């Protein structure tokens, strides 16, 4: 008998693992805390080193997940509890209320259009706003609306309005315009209980809060961005429809600086290297050049980590074909010119050992990434950098310290898309064995103990 | 009466990729004017779920029976859109794709002209779509045997994974032992030896009845189709059989001595030898390239284990999938590069690994010329990152970490030895950064260069001259030992494997993946998967993961027990065929034969073998050979649509 597998996290790693399992007829539950699968990759514009567009290669995978009858999506949900052992885990999942009955919602967007209340758009990292009822992004899978209870006046009326309403319900526009009658303001959180043979954790990453690094003025200076914000800024589906313009004056920057290792490789914050930022900066500088051939692009770095297939060639191309400048040196601080909102970088150019200053219109910070928090509820061990610990990195490089629970993608350490995808398939191989009842064989490669309970 | 042709045309913006150069709205409007087009639309990303829904809904609403999508290359999204047709209840071959991205927007800049060209491409696609016919796929049973080429960590891992799943696995290895390069790495971590990792995997393999190991073996022929390949294996003679007890009596008898490749030339071995302690299978082997067949060993062998008459044997296997895990070669600096091969104290990183391995030629002691070196200098990027004229353009990924790990080990063993690493960029990505930090704490010194350092031999010893980047000055470093951090290069014999399996390689010489990002373990040939450093530099952990990943692809292909075959194959019009046999001679897949039928000679296409390349249809003098989905009439309609008259 074939038993189901639980995949936690629907980024590219979780998607690939789910597909690899489902395509061999193993039932999969794919849980994501967000209303759409896609993860970070869905927010990227193009991908290094081939510059193919992230959407073009990701959306077909996302719709393959949706179409596959063996995959059940459990969206807007988080795992609450895991008990049992490999072959028979008992899992409790908390499904947050979306206030929209997804069986009825067709994703037509009428509610979004008419909703009168706005909230920061998390998919675009707050660079723009969305409505209180929203579809995460146009290519979302599944394409369903969600009410953000915090910003919905009906669900969370501000005290002054509540007083005036005198007990009558407020707003209700979305419910009125929904042709499918899908809005349900009384929806409650729901607990789903599952029994699964194996679990793949692919919970990915979040960005380190750049505000913790005071010398770069992120959050204080208008024209300092994170690298992920810049991805949204160059993306055709982004808040500016791909126009690279400054927050302060909506003008095109003429000089852009990228600062690497912001919060990574820094003993004050995170020791590890975030692995993909050097290439992401190189890619973003090329994209800036493609959008605005006159723009001047400079990357401040410690080491250029061009270790993957085609990476070093990509950096050479950036230098030779696109004229992108690389300066080896740490930026000590950024100051803002209060009039122009330009940014003055003070840095040590290690090729001369002199302290120098340079002015830019826009600065992009390669902010460190951090694993999303999963412990607890998952009973896993973490390594000293906070990523999920592997039981035996050599003999079984996708197994966690709990038998039957595997890990893939950035959850196990910073990495790029190809490495995340490979790991996901590897984790699927292991999980498939347990799902098909070959637990002893899995154990033979990596002996370990189960859980109590 | 044929049903009325009702075509839907969909123009994709692909974000800005197309819409930036092509006026997509204008193209969509234009398409509406073409005959049989019932509906025409444009959308931001046709491949996205809402884009696909558009098509599905229109098929129902407008009773469409042909679909044209103008977007990217069909190699990207033809499968996506075909499945849209299928889910809407339409035969999926009633679909045509116009490539207005790679063939248009990406290569042009003039918006007006690009828009005109896009219209031409759409008109051609519509003309062909009008003549498309529904086609049916055939299902064929698949074999449950899997062939893994390469017995390194990636191949062994794939074999184990698949055997556990229930497949019969044939694991073939060209050299006389399983284990690959990982077995020769001294320490991969503080207390983990490369040979231990390999040893554990070998133990599992040797105990698994479903894994059939053939060392000294090569893949010499490979044909067929996914799920049903035919592979011919040549098992080269080992000249030593299972009676061998590893007693070693033959060694003193053997008069031939050559450099030992398993110690990277640090010591010598005989023509009859055992690769290294733990090698598998555990028998001696005769290196036929150097053996003189004098027979001395036979005389000394008490166990009757040596047989100089052994001949190559051939094995024909029917297999469902092939996993290529053939690994890499260490970069071998040409004689004189950094004075390598001229001065004994200039060694490679691989040789250093052997020197630090307790099972190695010096029993793990780093003794150079009878002494512990007072100073060791590593030079990074040897053979990599365009550092020297002979270098490859890529980074070899594992050398920085390997150098640093060994530097720390040396510092632990010999605290008084000064260790310096000359580098361009230190590539300790992700949590490996911790080791770089550790090395700093242990006072390993790091100097950065841009121009390659010079190694000079003087009477007093070795010197390195380097222009140090951060102090911007020339530095001269006397040293006892120079370690060249040599990288990874494609196997010297990879071309033979490419020729046999028809996989392809990229500009860097490593095997090419189906998609660099989203299909890193799949080759462009369905049923052929790739694992380990055969696609480019990888470390041990990454190679093992790829082994598992490649295994899951094979599981997916073969777990159902049958595969479907694309019907876009050649078909013979038996009325016209004269049996001349031109098609037979040009077919690269041996899919066509001449058959006698009622006294007539007729070409016959074995559909499962036909890859739809179209060579035979072009060669056929009478037009009897046609390819489904690309019939002469269909192609002609396209040509006429663009050059007029159609
Ligand atoms: C600015 C930037 C640019 C980049 N550019 C490139 C590039 O060009 N090429 C490249 O190869 N890589 C690039 N990367 C790296 C790439 O984004 C990652 O390698 C990849 O997206 C990792 O995928 P993942 O599935 O592991 O994680 P994620 O994409 O983070 O996905 C994790 C998923 O898990 C969900 N989740 C998290 N916690 C829970 C929970 N507790 N319960 C349920 N669900 C949960 C999340 O909602 C999310 O959907 C870039 C990264 C950044 C930040």
């Amino acid at each position: 008998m074939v038993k189901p597998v639980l995949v936690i996290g629907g980024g590219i790693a979780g998607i690939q693992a789910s597909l690899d399992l489902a395509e061999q007829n193993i039932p999969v539950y794919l849980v994501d805390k967000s209303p759409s699968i896609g993860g970070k990759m869905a927010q990227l514009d193009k991908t290094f080193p081939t510059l193919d567009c992230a959407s073009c290669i990701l959306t077909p995978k996302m719709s393959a997940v949706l179409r596959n009858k063996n995959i059940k999506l459990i969206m807007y949900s988080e795992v609450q509890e895991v008990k049992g052992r490999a072959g028979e885990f008992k899992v409790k999942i908390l499904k947050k209320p979306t206030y929209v009955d997804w069986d009825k919602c067709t994703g037509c967007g009428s509610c979004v259009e008419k909703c009168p209340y706005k909230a920061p758009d998390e998919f675009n990292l707050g660079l723009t706003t969305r409505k209180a009822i929203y579809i995460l992004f146009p290519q979302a899978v599944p394409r369903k609306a969600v009410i953000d209870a915090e910003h919905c006046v009906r669900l969370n009326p501000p005290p002054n309005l509540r007083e005036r309403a005198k007990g009558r319900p407020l707003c209700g526009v979305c419910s009125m315009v929904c042709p499918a009658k899908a809005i349900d303001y009384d929806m409650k959180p729901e607990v789903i209980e599952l029994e699964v043979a194996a679990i793949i954790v692919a919970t990915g990453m979040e960005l380190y809060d750049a505000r913790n690094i005071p010398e770069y003025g992120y959050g204080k200076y208008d024209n300092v961005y994170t690298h992920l914000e810049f991805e949204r800024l160059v993306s055709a589906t982004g808040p500016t429809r791909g126009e690279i313009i400054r927050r302060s004056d909506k003008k095109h920057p003429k000089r852009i600086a990228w600062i690497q290792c912001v919060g990574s490789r820094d003993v004050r914050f995170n020791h590890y290297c975030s692995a993909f930022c050097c290439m992401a900066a190189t890619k973003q500088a090329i994209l800036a050049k493609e959008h605005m051939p006159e723009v001047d692009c400079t990357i401040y770095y410690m080491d250029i980590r061009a270790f993957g297939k085609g990476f070093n060639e990509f950096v050479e191309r950036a230098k030779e074909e696109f004229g992108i400048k690389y300066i080896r040196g740490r930026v000590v601080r950024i100051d803002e010119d209060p009039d122009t909102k330009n940014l003055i970088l003070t840095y040590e150019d290690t090729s001369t050992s002199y302290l120098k200053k340079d002015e830019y219109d826009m600065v992009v910070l390669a902010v460190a990434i951090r694993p999303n928090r999963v412990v607890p509820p998952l009973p896993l061990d973490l390594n000293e950098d906070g990523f999920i610990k592997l039981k035996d990195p050599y003999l079984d490089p996708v197994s966690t310290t709990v038998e039957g629970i595997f890990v893939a993608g950035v959850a196990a350490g910073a990495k790029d898309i190809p490495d995340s995808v490979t790991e996901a398939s590897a984790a699927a191989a292991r999980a498939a064995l347990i799902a098909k009842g070959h637990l002893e064989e899995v154990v033979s490669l990596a002996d370990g103990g189960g859980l109590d309970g | 009466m044929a049903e009325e042709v009702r075509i839907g045309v969909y123009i994709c913006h692909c974000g800005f990729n197309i819409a930036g150069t092509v006026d997509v709205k204008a193209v969509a409007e234009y398409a509406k004017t073409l005959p049989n087009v019932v509906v025409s639309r444009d959308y931001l990303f046709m491949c996205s779920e809402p884009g696909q829904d558009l098509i599905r809904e229109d098929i129902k609403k407008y009773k469409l029976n042909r679909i044209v999508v103008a977007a990217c290359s069909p190699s990207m999204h033809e499968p996506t859109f075909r499945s849209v047709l299928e889910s809407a209840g339409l035969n999926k071959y009633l679909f045509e794709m116009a490539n207005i991205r790679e063939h248009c927007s990406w290569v042009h800049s003039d918006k007006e002209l690009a828009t005109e060209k896009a219209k031409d491409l759409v008109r051609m696609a519509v003309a062909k779509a009008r003549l498309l016919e529904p086609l049916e796929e055939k299902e064929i049973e698949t074999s449950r045997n899997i062939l893994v080429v390469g017995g390194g960590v990636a191949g062994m891992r794939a074999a184990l994974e698949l055997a556990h799943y229930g497949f019969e696995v044939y694991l073939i290895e060209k050299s006389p032992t399983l284990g690959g390069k990982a077995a020769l790495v001294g320490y991969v971590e503080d207390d983990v030896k490369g040979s231990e990792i390999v040893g554990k995997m070998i133990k599992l393999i040797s105990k698994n009845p479903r894994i059939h190991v053939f060392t000294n073996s090569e893949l010499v022929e490979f044909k067929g189709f996914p799920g049903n390949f035919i592979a011919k294996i040549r098992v080269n003679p080992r000249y030593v059989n299972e009676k061998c007890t590893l007693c070693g009596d033959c060694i003193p008898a053997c008069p031939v001595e050559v450099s030992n490749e398993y110690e990277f030339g640090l010591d010598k071995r005989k023509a009859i030898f055992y690769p290294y302690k733990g090698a598998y299978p555990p028998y001696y082997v005769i290196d036929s390239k150097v053996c003189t067949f004098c027979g001395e060993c036979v005389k000394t062998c008490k166990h009757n284990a040596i047989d100089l008459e052994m001949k190559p044997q051939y094995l024909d296997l029917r297999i469902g999938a092939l996993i290529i895990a053939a690994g890499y070669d260490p970069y071998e600096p040409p004689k004189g590069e950094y004075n390598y091969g001229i001065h004994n104290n200039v060694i490679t990183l691989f040789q250093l690994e052997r020197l630090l391995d307790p099972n190695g030629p010096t029993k793990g002691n780093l003794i150079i010329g009878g002494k512990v070196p007072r100073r060791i200098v590593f030079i990074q990027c040897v053979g990599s990152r365009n550092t020297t004229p002979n270098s490859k353009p890529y980074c070899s990924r594992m050398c920085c970490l390997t150098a640093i790990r060994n530097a720390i080990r040396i510092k632990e063993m010999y605290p008084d030895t000064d260790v310096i690493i000359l580098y361009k960029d230190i590539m300790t990505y992700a949590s490996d950064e911790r080791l770089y930090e550790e090395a700093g704490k242990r006072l390993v010194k790091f100097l950065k260069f841009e121009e390659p350092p010079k190694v000079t031999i003087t009477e007093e010893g070795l010197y390195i001259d380097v222009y140090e980047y951060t102090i911007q000055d020339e530095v001269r470093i006397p040293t006892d030992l120079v370690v060249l951090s040599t990288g990874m290069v494609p196997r010297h014999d990879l071309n033979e494997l490419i020729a046999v399996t028809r996989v392809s390689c990229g500009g860097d010489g490593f095997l090419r993946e189906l998609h660099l990002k989203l299909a890193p373990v799949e080759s462009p040939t369905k049923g052929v998967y790739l694992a380990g450093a055969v696609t480019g530099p990888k470390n041990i952990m990454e190679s093992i993961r790829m082994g598992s990943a490649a295994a899951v692809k094979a599981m997916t292909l073969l777990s159902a027990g049958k595969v479907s075959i694309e019907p876009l194959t050649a078909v013979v019009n038996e009325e016209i065929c004269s049996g001349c046999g031109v098609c037979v001679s040009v077919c690269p897949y041996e899919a066509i034969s001449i058959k006698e039928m009622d006294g007539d000679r007729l070409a016959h296409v074995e559909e499962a073998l036909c890859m739809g390349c179209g060579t035979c249809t072009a060669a056929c003098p009478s037009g009897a050979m046609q390819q489904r989905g690309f019939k002469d009439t269909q192609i002609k309609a396209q040509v006429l649509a663009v050059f007029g008259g159609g």
Side-chain angles (χ1 to χ4, degrees), chain A residues 13 32-33 40 47-48 203 205 276 283 410 415-417:
Chain A
D32 201 304
K33 64 176 179 183
K40 286 283 171 294
T47 54
F48 60 75
T203 42
M205 57 175 147
F276 53 71
K283 164 187 81 175
V410 175
K415 58 181 66 73
D416 61 3
I417 296 166

Side-chain angles (χ1 to χ4, degrees), chain A residues 8-14 31-34 36-41 44 46-49 77-79 202-207 227-229 231 276 279-280 283-284 311 369 372-374 408-411 415-418 420, chain B residues 517:
Chain A
I8 310 175
I12 186 59
V31 179
D32 201 304
K33 64 176 179 183
S34 145
S36 171
I37 56 172
K40 286 283 171 294
M41 190 177 166
L44 305 183
K46 293 188 175 172
T47 54
F48 60 75
S77 304
E78 279 182 61
V79 172
T203 42
M205 57 175 147
E206 58 179 10
L207 293 196
H227 51 1
L228 195 54
E229 286 174 335
E231 291 283 337
F276 53 71
M279 300 312 296
K283 164 187 81 175
Q284 294 184 345
F311 289 7
I369 55 126
N372 272 316
R373 201 184 62 86
V374 284
V410 175
K415 58 181 66 73
D416 61 3
I417 296 166
S420 298
Chain B
K517 265 164 282 203

Side-chain angles (χ1 to χ4, degrees), chain B residues 215-519:
Chain B
T215 50
N216 258 356
S217 303
E218 298 168 66
L219 177 64
V220 288
E221 240 177 77
F222 181 70
K223 56 188 183 188
F225 51 94
N228 285 284
F229 295 109
I230 306 286
K232 192 187 268 304
I233 315 291
R234 182 172 62 230
V235 184
N236 295 314
R238 188 177 189 97
Y239 303 107
V240 181
N241 61 33
E242 306 77 68
K243 291 185 209 141
C244 172
T245 63
L246 296 181
C247 69
D249 288 349
C250 50
I251 298 298
C254 177
V256 182
E257 201 174 57
V258 290
S259 149
N260 182 357
E261 64 271 39
Y262 293 92
E263 299 294 354
F264 298 100
L266 288 171
D267 67 4
K268 302 224 181 303
R269 64 161 170 84
K270 293 296 182 67
I272 185 165
F273 69 110
Y274 183 51
Y276 49 83
K277 189 167 164 261
Y280 182 87
Y283 312 124
Y284 275 70
V285 57
I286 291 177
D287 178 352
S288 61
K289 285 200 199 74
V290 297
C291 176
T292 57
F293 294 89
C294 65
E296 289 303 318
C297 55
V298 182
K299 285 184 216 153
T300 58
C301 181
K302 293 191 283 287
H303 307 281
N304 250 339
I306 304 174
D307 173 5
L308 296 180
E309 300 300 312
M310 268 188 203
K311 295 273 165 304
Q313 288 184 333
Y314 289 88
L315 216 69
D316 287 303
L317 298 172
R318 176 169 167 247
I319 57 167
L322 168 68
I323 293 176
I324 303 180
Y328 68 99
D329 278 344
Y331 170 77
E332 180 67 15
K335 189 173 173 187
E337 189 168 275
Y338 298 112
N339 271 321
Y340 176 73
I342 293 172
H343 195 291
N344 278 342
N345 296 1
V346 179
I347 64 172
T348 67
L349 197 53
F350 292 85
Q351 290 175 324
L352 179 71
E353 290 286 357
R354 298 311 307 141
L355 293 175
L356 292 175
D357 185 342
N359 293 334
T362 57
K363 311 242 167 328
N365 296 310
L366 192 55
I367 305 294
I368 303 291
K371 294 193 299 249
V372 173
R374 285 157 302 171
R375 178 177 285 145
I376 301 175
V377 180
F378 288 78
I379 301 177
Q380 297 305 109
C381 293
V382 175
S384 308
R385 301 185 74 204
N386 288 331
T387 306
T388 53
N390 196 41
S391 290
K392 303 283 181 181
Y394 53 81
C395 158
S396 286
R397 195 165 179 148
M398 53 86 207
C399 351
C400 278
L401 186 66
T402 307
I404 288 175
R405 207 187 54 228
N406 284 324
I408 293 174
R409 188 160 199 91
I410 292 167
K411 275 287 188 188
E412 258 168 16
M413 293 165 64
Y414 312 106
D416 296 333
T417 297
D418 190 28
V419 183
I420 301 177
I421 297 183
L422 307 182
Y423 71 101
K424 289 172 90 175
D425 291 279
I426 290 290
M427 301 281 179
T428 43
Y429 51 98
S431 292
D432 289 347
E433 180 71 11
R434 293 258 181 192
L435 267 155
Y436 185 19
E437 244 181 72
E438 177 70 26
K441 285 189 195 138
R442 301 210 182 210
L443 304 182
V444 173
K445 293 171 194 144
F446 290 86
L447 302 181
K448 182 174 161 66
F449 68 86
E450 297 237 296
E451 290 305 315
K454 270 197 202 65
V455 176
T456 316
I457 306 171
T458 68
E459 264 166 32
E460 297 94 77
L462 286 168
Y463 283 97
I464 293 182
D465 291 298
V466 58
Y467 191 80
E468 212 287 338
Y469 182 83
T470 53
I471 46 180
Q472 291 283 310
D473 210 348
E474 206 55 68
V475 182
R476 169 162 272 220
I477 312 165
T479 183
D480 295 333
L481 180 66
V482 176
V483 180
L484 305 179
S485 286
T486 39
M488 301 164 89
V489 297
R491 276 187 74 96
H492 61 283
D493 54 3
L494 193 59
N495 279 340
E496 292 165 26
L497 200 57
I498 290 174
V500 172
T501 58
R502 288 186 288 271
V503 292
S504 54
C505 68
D508 54 9
F510 290 103
L511 294 191
R512 195 200 300 271
E513 314 75 358
L514 174 61
H515 190 282
L516 179 58
K517 265 164 282 203
L518 294 189

